Amino acid sequence: MPDEVFHATIRNLKGIKYTGAVTYQFYGEPLLDSRLVDFVKYTRENLPSAMFVKVISNGDYLTEDLFERLIEAGMAEISITIHDRNPARRMERLQPLIDKHPSNIRVTSIHGHKSLSNRGGAVEIEGETAKKRCMFPRNAIVDFEGNVLLCCNDYFHANRFGNVVDESILTIWKKKDFRALRKAAKKGKPELQLCEDCLYPGQQSSHDES
């Protein structure tokens, strides 16, 4: 994400006195960005009333020094999901960080997890069952170009509703079509293929019916 897009996003949120959460994620590894500590600090300084600033990572590049600097910059929590074939080895490396700052780190694992996501139909999961409703419509997703997307599962950035460089995030959030799609997904009545594949995997799509 270019600096100007990041700053435009935070200015947008500052302009509406945003008090929700700010999370660094979306099909990438935030810890690979050398600007992350500065981004977290800028976010906290400009959004002092934000609920929390969070980083989601696989933990590969988390060091004690980086962890300390992120906390000092204003990060409330780093959420790590273990994908390793040997999860015990990963936990052994993370344990000292957990012991030192238990309230600033959350660790989960895909191993034995029964509710993995198919990422809007982008991947297949054996035995996945239908869901009753979607919890993602409450989040605004801003991609690296500044586009506001429907969902964090939209890997291909297919459903865009505006750009924070050109419009305020609040204007985009209140757009009639955007609100309607979020409402439908939340009720479990998806109107987009992305949502249908996510909520009702493996079932014949109504969009394919003649």
Side-chain angles (χ1 to χ4, degrees):
M1 177 181 283
D3 287 356
E4 56 268 26
V5 174
F6 169 74
H7 291 133
T9 304
I10 301 302
R11 283 198 306 270
N12 258 279
L13 297 175
K14 184 178 181 179
I16 61 174
K17 297 180 172 58
Y18 182 69
T19 60
V22 178
T23 303
Y24 295 93
Q25 61 172 324
F26 192 56
Y27 292 108
E29 176 47 62
L31 299 184
L32 282 173
D33 195 323
S34 62
R35 304 167 299 170
L36 183 60
V37 173
D38 292 334
F39 278 8
V40 169
K41 183 178 181 181
Y42 185 86
T43 300
R44 180 45 74 192
E45 289 176 345
N46 285 273
L47 301 174
S49 298
M51 185 186 306
F52 58 77
V53 179
K54 180 177 180 177
V55 174
I56 295 181
S57 167
N58 62 23
D60 285 353
Y61 298 92
L62 184 64
T63 63
E64 183 175 356
D65 175 67
L66 178 55
F67 190 35
E68 296 279 1
R69 288 191 292 125
L70 285 168
I71 294 172
E72 184 179 355
M75 180 193 74
E77 177 186 284
I78 183 166
S79 180
I80 295 174
T81 303
I82 295 177
H83 299 82
D84 305 48
R85 290 175 184 245
N86 186 344
R89 181 176 56 188
R90 172 52 55 89
M91 278 303 301
E92 183 179 358
R93 189 172 73 82
L94 293 174
Q95 196 60 52
L97 306 182
I98 298 171
D99 293 340
K100 190 171 184 179
H101 296 287
S103 64
N104 299 109
I105 185 169
R106 178 173 178 265
V107 181
T108 58
S109 174
I110 65 168
H111 299 283
H113 207 292
K114 296 181 180 180
S115 60
L116 296 177
S117 170
N118 67 14
R119 301 302 187 188
V123 294
E124 293 184 5
I125 297 178
E126 185 177 347
E128 188 178 10
T129 57
K131 306 172 184 64
K132 293 182 179 180
R133 58 182 180 142
C134 177
M135 298 299 294
F136 294 119
R138 61 186 178 182
N139 303 323
I141 309 301
V142 181
D143 72 7
F144 73 100
E145 294 178 319
N147 300 307
V148 177
L149 309 177
L150 174 67
C151 175
C152 62
N153 286 315
D154 191 355
Y155 177 81
F156 297 104
H157 307 231
N159 303 281
R160 308 176 185 184
F161 296 90
N163 190 290
V164 297
V165 176
D166 305 317
E167 300 177 89
S168 76
I169 199 166
L170 189 58
T171 297
I172 297 170
W173 186 255
K174 290 185 175 181
K175 287 183 178 181
K176 187 176 181 179
D177 57 340
F178 194 12
R179 293 175 65 182
L181 289 169
R182 296 199 312 269
K183 187 175 182 180
K186 187 175 181 180
K187 289 184 175 181
K189 299 179 180 179
E191 296 184 11
L192 291 176
Q193 188 69 56
L194 171 77
C195 301
E196 189 157 330
D197 289 343
C198 186
L199 289 172
Y200 305 109
Q203 299 186 25
Q204 183 179 8
S205 168
S206 60
H207 297 275
D208 296 331
E209 296 177 358
S210 57

